[in-house]
Amino acid sequence: WTNDGVAKLFMESHVGLALLDGTGAVADRCWLEGVDPRTWVCAMDMVTEDRTNHAEATFRFDRAAKEGTYRLAIGLFTDRSLEQPNIRIGNAGETETGWTVLYDEAAPAEAETDWALHRPATSSSRLSATTDAGNAVRHGAGYWSSGEGKTEWLSVDLGTVRTVRTLTLDWGRRYASAYRVQVSLQAPGSADMGWKDVYAATDRTGGRETIGFAPVSARTVRVLCTASATAPYAHDGIGPFPGENLLPDPRPFVVTETGREQLRYPLTSTFELTGPGQYRAACRVRSREPAAAITFRIGIKGSEDNQDGIPWHAPASWLGPDHLLALTPGEWTTVFWEGEIAWKGLVEMACLDIVGQWPDGSASDLVVEGLEIAKVSAICGERQEKWVPEEGRYTIREFSLA
């Protein structure tokens, strides 16, 4: 489970797990000992050293009836004497009593499953004990980095024969400019693996890529790296550098709604690295509705800002254009803002909001592309040293298979 919110948690709190019955009542509850939510960072934020944290805890339920059917839920508490969680985690899966459902057997299955997630992984070599192959299939747990051999490989055991058709690779700064995707019907370690090539890549430029191939049966899937290259700063995912786009996934998107809709990008961990100073933000927007408009703003709150009456997950102030920007139907409109962003103390919450508005009763869409926010002035965050990963000849941060 990962934190997909937009704000970090600075207060001391306790993590509880619960079994919820069909009515939503708590049938059993226990605590995750040794887990500190203050160390969690937003999953959508820029990859930082914090994101390599991996917490493990053992828990046990012993009061719920064994023959019952339950939902597994998580909750945050400021005090263990409370009956229900009093710190909100997010929107998805939240119950009326504040619990967030992690697993519901009766819920519809997801359209796609990552067959590689948490599966055993091996490699031809590793740079060090902290860059093991298993990191690539435990998302957010770190990365795999090879030794300095010209040809290196990363292999994942799916546990049983599966039908696979797509592979997502998130490369580090040192990536494979040429590689092959291979499959085998045998378990790892078999005398004759009988590898079969299903995809060959050349002249690649690193970064994150999803590749497709004809559906094929496989027990073991391997990426065989045959030529290496080194990416510029933008591909290392660590940064940041002055002028670099701080948003992790600036792909085009569509906002569709009647009345009002909002898109929010979390920037909390990012601003920890960049610090206060001069920023610029921009995007291009198009709408079919003549009366459509958009606001583009950045929210910020520091740990020492005036917080009277302000929820812990909300900004203390907004920066950016203080008016709605009218859009010409069918034409691209550039939205641009540059200014000073400052806060007091440590960064407690930061986000970028894009808010669309339409006349009452209308239905339209806003197409947004080229979304960017960058630090113009010098990098001066509260983390004085940027985390720069040590990498071998090839580095893979994520290996996902569907």
Side-chain angles (χ1 to χ4, degrees):
W1 177 77
T2 57
N3 172 23
D4 284 322
V6 295
K8 293 188 71 174
L9 185 62
F10 283 84
M11 66 183 73
E12 182 179 357
S13 57
H14 310 277
V15 184
L17 289 178
L19 295 179
L20 307 181
D21 64 19
T23 67
V26 176
D28 203 346
R29 187 179 75 172
C30 64
W31 300 103
L32 290 185
E33 304 294 349
V35 177
D36 186 358
R38 291 173 295 185
T39 65
W40 297 349
V41 294
C42 309
M44 287 179 62
D45 263 327
M46 177 182 294
V47 179
T48 66
E49 186 174 11
D50 282 350
R51 196 177 176 185
T52 66
N53 289 343
H54 182 73
E56 296 183 1
T58 302
F59 61 94
R60 176 185 177 89
F61 296 112
D62 52 18
R63 295 192 302 273
K66 293 183 179 180
E67 65 275 9
T69 299
Y70 307 100
R71 292 178 294 166
L72 178 64
I74 189 171
L76 298 184
F77 299 74
T78 56
D79 193 301
R80 294 198 180 197
S81 63
L82 297 173
E83 292 295 324
Q84 305 292 357
N86 64 331
I87 299 178
R88 186 179 183 186
I89 293 179
N91 296 319
E94 188 175 38
T95 69
E96 293 182 356
T97 54
W99 292 96
T100 298
V101 176
L102 298 178
Y103 176 75
D104 183 356
E105 189 176 38
E110 294 184 3
E112 290 189 354
T113 298
D114 180 2
W115 297 121
L117 185 63
H118 298 300
R119 296 301 310 167
T122 55
S123 61
S124 53
S125 66
R126 63 183 185 182
L127 183 64
S128 68
T130 61
T131 62
D132 187 72
N135 293 341
V137 295
R138 295 192 299 269
H139 304 168
Y143 57 94
W144 166 71
S145 201
S146 72
E148 291 294 340
K150 182 178 180 180
T151 300
E152 301 276 1
W153 53 262
L154 173 68
S155 175
V156 178
D157 177 13
L158 306 185
T160 188
V161 175
R162 306 279 190 187
T163 299
V164 295
R165 54 178 59 84
T166 62
L167 173 65
T168 297
L169 297 170
D170 189 7
W171 298 96
R173 192 177 179 200
R174 301 192 69 183
Y175 63 94
S177 58
Y179 62 88
R180 300 201 302 272
V181 179
Q182 301 177 315
V183 299
S184 171
L185 293 173
Q186 307 302 316
S190 299
D192 182 10
M193 292 297 294
W195 291 110
K196 173 185 176 182
D197 289 357
V198 295
Y199 188 87
T202 58
D203 300 323
R204 292 307 172 99
T205 57
R208 185 181 180 87
E209 56 179 336
T210 298
I211 57 178
F213 41 84
V216 62
S217 297
R219 162 69 188 264
T220 308
V221 180
R222 180 170 81 166
V223 174
L224 182 67
C225 305
T226 56
S228 65
T230 301
Y233 293 129
H235 275 159
D236 67 8
I238 306 300
F241 300 88
E244 178 185 347
N245 191 358
L246 302 175
L247 297 180
D249 189 13
R251 70 182 66 179
F253 61 91
V254 178
V255 176
T256 302
E257 188 59 54
T258 298
R260 176 184 174 97
E261 181 61 19
Q262 167 179 313
L263 177 89
R264 174 167 289 186
Y265 270 93
L267 295 169
T268 310
S269 294
T270 301
F271 278 13
E272 285 182 336
L273 292 169
T274 56
Q278 194 79 3
Y279 286 80
R280 70 165 181 264
C283 68
R284 291 179 358 118
V285 188
R286 185 177 64 186
S287 174
R288 294 196 302 264
E289 173 60 50
I294 189 172
T295 58
F296 191 76
R297 59 187 188 173
I298 296 170
I300 186 71
K301 181 169 65 174
S303 58
E304 298 177 11
D305 287 332
N306 181 11
Q307 302 191 29
D308 292 342
I310 301 175
W312 62 270
H313 56 272
S317 60
W318 291 101
L319 303 113
D322 57 0
H323 60 277
L324 289 173
L325 178 65
L327 305 176
T328 302
E331 296 184 6
W332 286 103
T333 300
T334 298
V335 182
F336 180 84
W337 176 83
E338 183 170 331
E340 190 81 10
I341 299 180
W343 57 88
K344 296 179 180 179
L346 304 177
V347 182
E348 184 168 311
M349 187 272 183
C351 64
L352 170 66
D353 268 19
I354 295 180
V355 183
Q357 292 192 1
W358 298 267
D360 292 341
S362 69
S364 183
D365 59 44
L366 294 177
V367 182
V368 181
E369 71 171 23
L371 187 58
E372 174 188 5
I373 180 171
K375 179 79 180 292
V376 178
S377 55
I379 302 299
C380 58
E382 57 201 55
R383 293 191 199 154
Q384 297 301 314
E385 295 182 4
K386 297 187 294 293
W387 176 61
V388 178
E390 184 182 8
E391 299 188 28
R393 184 175 289 268
Y394 304 101
T395 298
I396 295 178
R397 293 200 296 257
E398 180 183 330
F399 181 111
S400 302
L401 197 65

